[in-house]
Amino acid sequence: MNFGRVVVLILSCSLFLTGCWDRRELQDTVFVAAIGVDYKDGQYLVSSQIINFGNVAKRGTGKNAGESTWIGTASGSNPFVAFQNLNQMTSQQQLYLGQASALVLTSRAIEQDVEDILEALYRYRELRYTVWLFGTEEPLTPLFGSDALLGLSPELTVIHNPKPAAAKVARTRPVSVRQFLKAYREPGETAFIPSLSLNNKWETKEKPMPVAYIDGLYAFYQKKYKKKFLLSDVEGIRWMNKPSDEVLLQVNGPQFQAACMVRSSHRSVKWTYAKGQLQYILDLKIKASMEMGNGQFSKEELRAAADKMIRNEIMETFQLGKKSNTDLLNLGKEMYKYDLRQWREIYRSPEVKPALKVNIHLFLEHSGTYKAG
């Protein structure tokens, strides 16, 4: 009798146990690697990049492999609706955003409200704020279809793994959605989104192979999109970022050329404000070593030529930002951070035209195997 009661009690308790009714089976799930958002004719177009790792693996064995990348696109009145429509198009399997590593916005989408786009996408709670954020003027389908060199996984392209490329470029850093929103919402900081483009400088025997690379920056200030700047026009930005790797500095003197590697750099920003005139003072300490050189020159001549080149890069970037009313060097960020009251007083007027003074302290540690004259 007691045994029967125990059995009944156990069976009754089992009714309150949770099951796996909402379990997601792997074979029924499609993992999205990257998301793209475009805007055309009043509609948002959302594209998803899906990577077939089985076909990627076959490439290394010499077997006949199919396509490694699949791209789907759907439209809607906002990105949330567009992705819902895309999900319905793949009714056999469910699209899962938890493993996405990149989000790419076209220039047309960036000209809309970027914050609204992100808010719509992040209604999908599995999408992480750590995904890399990019802009582009390229169509999304060929960009997502670009290959990695040597037939390696698309996960090794700059879209999914931008740190090595950004270290070489040195003028920009990879930006996650979290990092962008943090800067975007700061009134005294200029936020940047790296820009992607395609080049056809690589090719196989059969055809050219488009490769994605970082070619510029989209700038935002006080939650407003300013414009896109090419990296070749904003060389001075690299001296405001702490280098994550060694930076190449090519120095051209009157009768010589030299290649120097910047080992470390440190900058500090101060300012003066008197009679309505704002002047920033940038102190830059750089340690570098010369790796190669052509022509005869002394160490002082090399230092003077390098000083001039760095100064010109910074001032040209500063003047370019001044023309478009964009703080490309993020000089105002320091004032906003350390003297909010004065920042509010000065930047109350949107027509602030600051000046810049640059002090450079360049230390050449050694000249490698080359003996400077």
Side-chain angles (χ1 to χ4, degrees), residues 314-343:
I314 294 173
M315 292 305 301
E316 287 173 4
T317 302
F318 175 75
Q319 293 297 337
L320 180 63
K322 194 173 179 179
K323 289 179 181 178
S324 58
N325 199 27
T326 306
D327 186 6
L328 290 174
L329 299 176
N330 257 325
L331 299 170
K333 175 184 175 181
E334 302 297 320
M335 185 189 301
Y336 178 81
K337 185 176 180 180
Y338 295 106
D339 196 341
L340 180 59
R341 179 178 297 178
Q342 188 170 51
W343 181 89

Side-chain angles (χ1 to χ4, degrees), residues 294-311:
N294 295 320
Q296 295 295 323
F297 55 92
S298 67
K299 193 173 182 179
E300 289 303 320
E301 289 174 328
L302 175 60
R303 182 183 289 110
D307 182 291
K308 181 180 179 181
M309 181 165 291
I310 296 171
R311 190 182 305 275

Side-chain angles (χ1 to χ4, degrees), residues 338-358:
Y338 295 106
D339 196 341
L340 180 59
R341 179 178 297 178
Q342 188 170 51
W343 181 89
R344 286 173 172 168
E345 177 185 351
I346 295 173
Y347 282 89
R348 188 173 299 162
S349 169
E351 300 301 324
V352 176
K353 299 296 182 183
L356 175 62
K357 179 182 178 182
V358 181

Side-chain angles (χ1 to χ4, degrees), residues 197-239:
S197 188
L198 291 172
N199 69 52
N200 293 299
K201 295 182 178 180
W202 293 93
E203 60 183 26
T204 63
K205 291 182 179 180
E206 293 80 16
K207 60 179 180 179
M209 187 174 66
V211 175
Y213 72 103
I214 299 173
D215 74 326
L217 296 167
Y218 292 91
F220 299 79
Y221 186 67
Q222 294 189 352
K223 295 188 176 183
K224 294 180 180 179
Y225 170 58
K226 307 300 288 187
K227 63 179 296 186
K228 176 187 174 180
F229 297 89
L230 295 175
L231 290 183
S232 57
D233 295 332
V234 290
E235 296 275 0
I237 287 180
R238 62 176 172 170
W239 304 111

Side-chain angles (χ1 to χ4, degrees), residues 29-36 46-51 53 83 95-104 121-122 124-134 144 155 159-161 176-177:
T29 304
V30 174
F31 295 93
V32 175
I35 312 163
V46 172
S47 300
S48 64
Q49 180 198 48
I50 301 167
I51 299 175
F53 291 100
F83 189 79
L95 296 178
Y96 179 63
L97 295 174
Q99 298 298 318
S101 59
L103 171 59
V104 183
L121 287 175
Y122 276 90
Y124 294 96
R125 288 177 289 180
E126 68 267 25
L127 184 61
R128 303 171 189 268
Y129 280 89
T130 55
V131 301
W132 300 117
L133 181 61
F134 297 99
F144 282 166
E155 287 278 355
I159 299 175
H160 302 281
N161 187 28
S176 67
V177 171

Side-chain angles (χ1 to χ4, degrees), residues 34-75:
I35 312 163
V37 180
D38 195 3
Y39 184 82
K40 187 176 181 180
D41 299 330
Q43 292 283 304
Y44 285 94
L45 289 82
V46 172
S47 300
S48 64
Q49 180 198 48
I50 301 167
I51 299 175
N52 187 333
F53 291 100
N55 288 341
V56 172
K58 290 179 183 179
R59 291 183 179 182
T61 63
K63 297 179 180 179
N64 185 21
E67 293 294 333
S68 61
T69 303
W70 292 67
I71 301 154
T73 303
S75 62

